[in-house]
Amino acid sequence: MIDMPVDLSSEMLGNINLSDLSGQINNLTPVINVVRQTWDTQTLEQLKEGKLSVPDETINESIAKTIDENSAIKSLQVTSVGDGKIKLIADTKKMGPVELLCRIDQFEHTKDTSVLKFKVLEKNLPDNGTMSWIFSRISLSMAEKFVGKVDLGQNVKTKISGNTVTVDFKDALKESSFGQAELFGYSLSDAVVIEQAVPKDGYVEFKTALNLPDTVKNMLQNILK
C-alpha cells in the first residue's frame, strides 16, 4: 500500500485545536516541535511570499554558537556588502587573520539538491581543513533560518578548486530533525525551495518558495500561532 499525503479541507483545519491535536495524534508532536523550533510566523510568511531576508547579525550569531576551543578558528565575521558580495574576516589558529571578499554564485535548495557555491575574488584558496570549515559553517548558518540547525560533520561536502568553493549539505540535512520532519505525508525539507541568495547591504536576500497545498500551509500557520 502506498501512503499518500493527507490533504485536509480548509474548513477542517479551521476547527482544529492544536493543543488537543498533539495529544490525540502522537506522531504529530515531534513535527510540531520541529516547526516551532525552526520557523516563526514571519519566516513562514516570507517563505510563502517568495522573498526572505536574513540579517548579517543572525548569520553571525549562528556561526558564533559553533565556535569552541576545538574549532579551527577563533572568530569569524560575515558582512554583506551589496552587489552580491560578502566579506569574511576570520581569526584562524594556523594561518592567523584571514580576510576574503566573496561572491555567492549559487545557493540552491530543492528536494534533490542543497548546494552553495562561492567565488573568492582576487585570490586562490588553499584547499585545507580550515578553509573548508569556514565555508561550510557559513553555508549552514545561512540555511539555518529555513531548515534549522544542521550539524557540521563528514556529510557536509566542501570542494575547493582555485578560487571557487562548493558546499553540498544535502546528506547532512537529511539527518537533521527538520530534514526528517513530515506533516501529513509532506516532507518539509523537500517543500522548502531556495532559488538564489543575493547579499545586500547588511543582509542576504533569498528567493524562495514553499511547495505545499494551501491546507497544509494553513496548518503550519496554526502551529506557529
Side-chain angles (χ1 to χ4, degrees):
M1 179 181 296
I2 299 176
D3 293 331
M4 298 297 291
V6 179
D7 193 3
L8 301 181
S9 70
S10 298
E11 180 178 357
M12 290 177 65
L13 287 170
N15 294 328
I16 288 176
N17 183 321
L18 284 173
S19 62
D20 293 337
L21 183 62
S22 60
Q24 294 171 4
I25 310 177
N26 290 333
N27 65 348
L28 277 184
T29 303
V31 71
I32 288 173
N33 291 336
V34 168
V35 170
R36 288 174 173 168
Q37 290 166 6
T38 306
W39 295 338
D40 54 26
T41 53
Q42 182 181 26
T43 299
L44 178 62
E45 285 302 315
Q46 291 182 337
L47 276 172
K48 293 191 301 180
E49 291 171 0
K51 187 183 294 185
L52 194 155
S53 298
V54 180
D56 292 347
E57 181 181 2
T58 299
I59 296 169
N60 287 320
E61 285 177 355
S62 174
I63 293 172
K65 291 176 182 177
T66 68
I67 300 174
D68 57 31
E69 60 183 14
N70 297 318
S71 301
I73 66 171
K74 299 176 183 178
S75 64
L76 175 60
Q77 191 80 12
V78 175
T79 303
S80 301
V81 295
D83 195 27
K85 300 171 185 175
I86 60 173
K87 182 169 66 174
L88 315 180
I89 300 177
D91 185 3
T92 73
K93 292 180 179 178
K94 290 186 176 181
M95 298 182 293
V98 174
E99 183 171 335
L100 300 170
L101 183 64
C102 308
R103 185 179 69 227
I104 298 180
D105 283 347
Q106 181 184 9
F107 194 149
E108 183 180 4
H109 168 73
T110 66
K111 65 184 182 65
D112 299 315
T113 186
S114 301
V115 64
L116 202 159
K117 184 176 291 186
F118 300 90
K119 184 169 185 179
V120 179
L121 306 177
E122 300 176 352
K123 65 176 69 178
N124 290 343
L125 293 173
D127 185 357
N128 60 37
T130 298
M131 299 311 302
S132 294
W133 191 99
I134 288 173
F135 282 99
S136 56
R137 189 64 262 170
I138 292 171
S139 300
L140 297 181
S141 295
M142 286 184 175
E144 189 168 319
K145 190 73 172 176
F146 308 91
V147 298
K149 186 177 183 299
V150 178
D151 290 332
L152 179 60
Q154 294 182 351
N155 285 329
V156 177
K157 303 177 181 66
T158 305
K159 179 181 179 182
I160 298 176
S161 178
N163 62 351
T164 299
V165 184
T166 304
V167 182
D168 183 342
F169 58 96
K170 186 64 179 181
D171 290 342
L173 175 56
K174 287 180 180 178
E175 295 186 359
S176 71
S177 297
F178 189 87
Q180 298 178 35
E182 292 188 359
L183 186 62
F184 297 117
Y186 291 94
S187 166
L188 296 184
S189 176
D190 288 353
V192 173
V193 175
I194 304 173
E195 297 182 7
Q196 66 177 152
V198 180
K200 304 287 187 176
D201 184 9
Y203 67 97
V204 180
E205 184 178 272
F206 296 84
K207 184 177 180 181
T208 67
L210 189 61
N211 290 336
L212 289 170
D214 288 341
T215 49
V216 180
K217 292 178 183 177
N218 289 340
M219 170 61 80
L220 290 169
Q221 288 179 321
N222 286 338
I223 289 173
L224 294 171
K225 284 182 180 178

